[in-house]
Amino acid sequence: MAKIAYYPGCALNERSSHLDRSARDATVRLGFELDELDTWTCCGAVPPVSEERVMNLVAPSRILKDVRDSGRDILITICDFCYNTLKRTNFIIKSDEITRKRVNAFLADDTPERDYLEKDDSLWEDYAGEVNVIHLMEYLRDELGYEKITESLKRSLKGLKIAPYYGCVMLRPQNEIQLDNPENPSIIEDFITALDAKPVKYPYRTECCGSYLSVSSPDASTRLCYRILTSARNSGADAVVVSCPLCFYNLDSRQKAITEAYSDFKPVPIFYFTQLLSVALGVEYGRQGFEKHYVDVTPVLDKIGISTGKGGEE
Amino acid sequence: MFEPKIVCFLCKWCTSAGADLAGTSRLKYRPNGVNIRFMCSSRVDPEHILWAFHEGADGVLIGGCHPGDCHYEDGNYKTQARVSLLNRLLDDFGIDTRRLRLEWISAAEGAKFANVMNDFTEELRSKGPLKLAVREMAK
Amino acid sequence: MKRIGVFVCHCGINIAETVDVKRVAEESMKMDGVAYAQDYIYMCSEPGQTLVREKIVEEKLDAIIIAACSPNLHESTFRAAAEEAGLNPWQCEIANIREQCSWVHSDREKATSKAIHIVATIVQKTRLNESLEPIPVSITKKALVIGGGIAGIQASLDIADSGYKVILVEKDSSIGGHMAQLSETFPTLDCSQCILTPKMVAAGKHPNIELMTYSEIEEVSGYVGNFKVKIRRKASFVDWSKCNGCGLCMEKCPAKVSSAFDRELATHGAIYVPFPQAVPNKPVIDKDSCIYFKTGKCRLCEKVCEIGAINFEQEDQFVEEEVGAIIVATGFETLPVADLAEYGAGDVPDLIDGLAFERLLSASGPTVGEVRRPSDGKVPKEIVFVQCAGSRDPERYKPYCSKICCMYTTKHALLYKHRVHDGQPYIFYIDIRTGGKGYEEFYHNAEEEENIIYLRGKVAKIFRDGDKTVVWGTDTLTGRNIEIAADLVVLATAVVPKDSTAELVKKLRIQTGPNGFLAEAHPKLRPVESINSGFFLAGAAQGPKDIPETVAQASGAACKVISLFSRDHLEQDPAVAWVDEDLCGSCRICISVCPYDAREYDEEKEIVIVNEALCEGCGSCVAACACGATQQRNLSDSQIKSMVTASLGGV
């Protein structure tokens, strides 16, 4: 089975381990394996966006250089923040020669072999952006092909109306990420269609969930998530699907605060895209980590007979 | 710093007009090339190019209209064919083929002309002066 | 030896600031063949030209070089001056030390040295220049006008009125263009059709105008004065010579096609005229929508047509015409709403563009002039107009200002208020640009008297929510975000060249600018001509324009054509190819490379000769000639070689 280099990142290693597990389960059933890097560090999350660039780029560049040095040229990520950070770091390394040289100077200084390098720098090869950073969903769309997913379905999600939620960093900035049109994307809609479910289009699918405001000003995030979820619900969605752990956190666990603040609010279950994929590919219900969700997803899956086992559990 | 000498054969309709636009737009570029204006890039005989190298050019630029835009229907295709054929011989003369550039630059592409001149000058600087046996012998 | 004079222009400080013009003159004096050199502040001024003329006589000069601006600007000026002083015009050359030297370099020393090399190069050319006489060429005094909008109609009428024949080619079945779609026109609020229709009729009836509607340009060859044009007359499946325009076929046609003329707000049959005032008022069958063409059954139109004008067997016809000048007036289109992702990408039903709103306002439109929204036909009570939708947005859409939107959006809001008195219009704008006679007054009246709310800021997003169309924007004057749940939204989408322009310019081999609009020969002084002689430009195909400007440019282009036709013959540049008969080995490679059939094998002499009237002087055959028998006048191989040597500082 093909092994593809995989960078999980912090969230998938801890709080969002169900995103990681469902992704591994699903990809194996699609014929490839997510091969976690032997060693990896924090990607740095937001910093490439900030002004003082060089230091912030060292950690993600080291991750990318390790991938290249292991002889591979594709790196899959799932978390939208990791994807954004690594892909944009790569963009800067490729397009800005001065920054590339400075980052590599730090990387060289930091390697255990630095004493040898001082004597013979021919041992060192600058990291120059050779690795292609790919989102798992991008890999499914462009490398595997959504039609391959449809062919491999073990359970039909027919009857489910799913609202995609894109968040901010998966698609922006467009010229660097180039995954889809950030104003009118379709990559998640097409994914939902490939699972035999029905995508629901609603105006707030690309609006902000509040991101880190969840920490500093939770009320703001509550208001934003209320608008997103109500809009999705009013458009007829049974559930919302996301790929970003922070979006998941805000949209799911914030529903407690939303219910307290807005009397008309009706909870909406949230799925990771990998959970829906893995369910549709026939992975056991119990392996999905649904118990970690604040909003119960069982009623939605009941609707198409999956949680009760009638959906053809293997 | 080494200042390479460049001879530029430009067609009147596109590239020379593009070079004029670079001027009216006040774009700045390196002064290493002197332009010779032809009606069409297809007036350039490979012999002119070799003569330029013989006479001390470090690089030769030929500028024509984009494919399909030639004022004379297909002159630029002829130029491209001639340059490709000449490229096969340049090595035998001891001339790196990168010293001969063929660029399609339209009358609207003043910025492209300026960029090409800068880029070509830089490339030739990194290559250093063209040393031709025939020139050395003449000395 | 030839005595050459070099005249170095300061061009005020344009050249003199970066090039040491005195030194250029001094160094020129040292060049072989140069007998006189002089610098002067403005060589193209009358005193400058007088200086040149006087020195030609005083110094007994055989040739002159003007080191100044691009030859595209003043070559003809100085050649005329040389001729006045008794020189052959081809003994005058230009050394371009402004556009290609002083304006693009900042190091004075290097720029001066380059200018000297440029002059030295031109001196080498001039030393071997021959005196030439222009080659006379006849003119076909008939014009081709491409595009039947107001620009093409105006240009055709002006040329035809002066007594010359015109062929007016229009892609659609009727002339009229976008102006026929408009309701009322700013700033006077004349009814657009009322002022346009008489001109359409006049063009249709004019004895000197041959209308070819439903036709497209297939091929163009030749050169100024003598173009050959192949025109495709598309099959309309209606014999227009028989059709009396009764309209019965259109009433009976069971197919439904959304009307492009009505911006998809109405439908017509598969056999249709785009609008009732069409000229010519003859229907065409849209093959893609016709039930008979799709299923093999129907032919209802044929049954009801008593005079038997329907002909399903009709095929495209090709006609060939000879013309002396071509006016390109292909007009504009607006950026499709579907291209604007943040504004719903075309999926929001009550979001339309300005031209669609014109149809809603038009008395002959689908709602007979009542403002009713497309989704449910309700009269909108709150309506948002969004300016610069795709314009002035260099990062994502078009960098330029579309120019007409500020005025037509104000007009839209005004006309809306005239029809829906209790309605509230909002206009989002970046800046209000009202340059034009009576325009600013029109805008002020609308803003102050009509209660139109102007909001300065861009709209971020538009989406449908229930039966409302929600607009999110910012008012940058108060710094507040604004959300309006509107009943209808109208986008002033960017003006772009017609799709077909790109393909047409390839056939004509004329130039466009970076945004696809036709390029004029000079942005200020030659705004109605293409750089390629014989082609003239009119209307919005050259850039966004309102009606008065379009009409003015069309008349300007027509005037250029008339002045061309008023001459007995044209003079062709004599710098053509010639053959040294002793050297020609008659290999005939030159025949195969000549794009104009100007190279012919002469059976008697057994060599290949040049037909000078056909030769355009590209020089391709000269480069191809294996034995050096073919040369170009005033650009021979020996001239080029010595120019190369001089450009490298080797003379």
Side-chain angles (χ1 to χ4, degrees), chain C residues 126-416:
Chain C
T126 311
R127 287 178 66 183
L128 296 174
N129 269 356
E130 302 170 61
S131 293
L132 301 174
E133 292 303 325
I135 302 166
V137 189
S138 64
I139 314 173
T140 309
K141 295 187 179 180
K142 188 178 191 182
L144 169 70
V145 176
I146 307 172
I150 181 61
I153 292 172
Q154 182 66 44
S156 299
L157 285 171
D158 286 344
I159 298 170
D161 283 345
S162 66
Y164 299 110
K165 296 280 182 193
V166 179
I167 301 169
L168 174 54
V169 172
E170 164 59 45
K171 188 158 60 66
D172 291 333
S173 65
S174 168
I175 56 172
H178 283 306
M179 190 176 166
Q181 292 177 290
L182 307 183
S183 54
E184 293 164 29
T185 54
F186 62 76
T188 47
L189 302 184
D190 308 81
C191 149
S192 182
Q193 289 219 333
C194 310
I195 54 177
L196 174 67
T197 318
K199 281 193 180 282
M200 290 166 61
V201 173
K205 286 192 173 158
H206 204 294
N208 283 340
I209 298 179
E210 187 183 347
L211 269 194
M212 290 197 190
T213 61
Y214 217 48
S215 301
E216 288 177 25
I217 303 301
E218 196 69 15
E219 268 174 41
V220 175
S221 59
Y223 47 92
V224 55
N226 295 279
F227 291 107
K228 282 197 180 67
V229 187
K230 190 168 163 193
I231 301 162
R232 176 196 291 267
R233 310 213 59 183
K234 295 183 282 187
S236 62
F237 307 106
V238 177
D239 185 341
W240 284 3
S241 62
K242 287 186 188 165
C243 172
N244 60 10
C246 74
L248 204 56
C249 51
M250 298 188 281
E251 274 174 41
K252 299 291 178 193
C253 178
K256 288 245 180 301
V257 186
S258 63
S259 159
F261 183 81
D262 279 329
R263 304 295 281 184
E264 326 272 300
L265 296 170
T267 59
H268 53 59
I271 183 164
Y272 70 102
V273 294
F275 54 104
Q277 302 86 342
V279 173
N281 202 334
K282 310 280 180 170
V284 295
I285 294 178
D286 171 5
K287 199 174 175 184
D288 297 334
S289 319
C290 171
I291 295 171
Y292 168 67
F293 278 114
K294 285 199 293 194
T295 67
K297 291 198 185 105
C298 184
R299 301 179 83 126
L300 206 56
C301 47
E302 194 179 35
K303 282 171 207 137
V304 298
C305 183
E306 287 176 359
I307 44 176
I310 309 290
N311 174 10
F312 289 105
E313 311 302 315
Q314 211 179 66
E315 285 180 357
D316 291 3
Q317 305 281 320
F318 294 93
V319 292
E320 296 206 3
E321 294 283 347
E322 291 186 1
V323 296
I326 299 177
I327 292 183
V328 191
T330 47
F332 72 99
E333 193 42 81
T334 55
L335 191 72
V337 176
D339 286 4
L340 298 161
E342 66 273 37
Y343 297 162
D347 289 339
V348 180
D350 289 326
L351 182 143
I352 58 176
D353 66 8
L355 277 173
F357 198 66
E358 292 286 346
R359 295 313 298 150
L360 290 184
L361 292 170
S362 170
S364 61
T367 55
V368 208
E370 286 183 34
V371 181
R372 293 186 176 279
R373 65 184 195 180
S375 66
D376 55 9
K378 279 191 192 152
V379 176
K381 294 293 179 196
E382 281 193 290
I383 180 164
V384 175
F385 296 92
V386 180
Q387 293 193 181
C388 302
S391 306
R392 304 183 68 192
D393 190 347
E395 279 172 21
R396 295 181 310 157
Y397 301 109
K398 306 295 174 188
Y400 52 83
C401 165
S402 291
K403 195 168 185 178
I404 55 176
C405 322
C406 286
M407 285 305 292
Y408 83 61
T409 302
T410 297
K411 178 196 78 178
H412 281 169
L414 196 80
L415 294 177
Y416 166 71

Side-chain angles (χ1 to χ4, degrees), chain A residues 113-126:
Chain A
E113 298 85 15
R114 63 180 179 277
D115 295 340
Y116 299 108
L117 288 175
E118 271 172 19
K119 289 175 200 137
D120 180 6
D121 64 4
S122 69
L123 295 170
W124 177 263
E125 191 188 344
D126 268 6

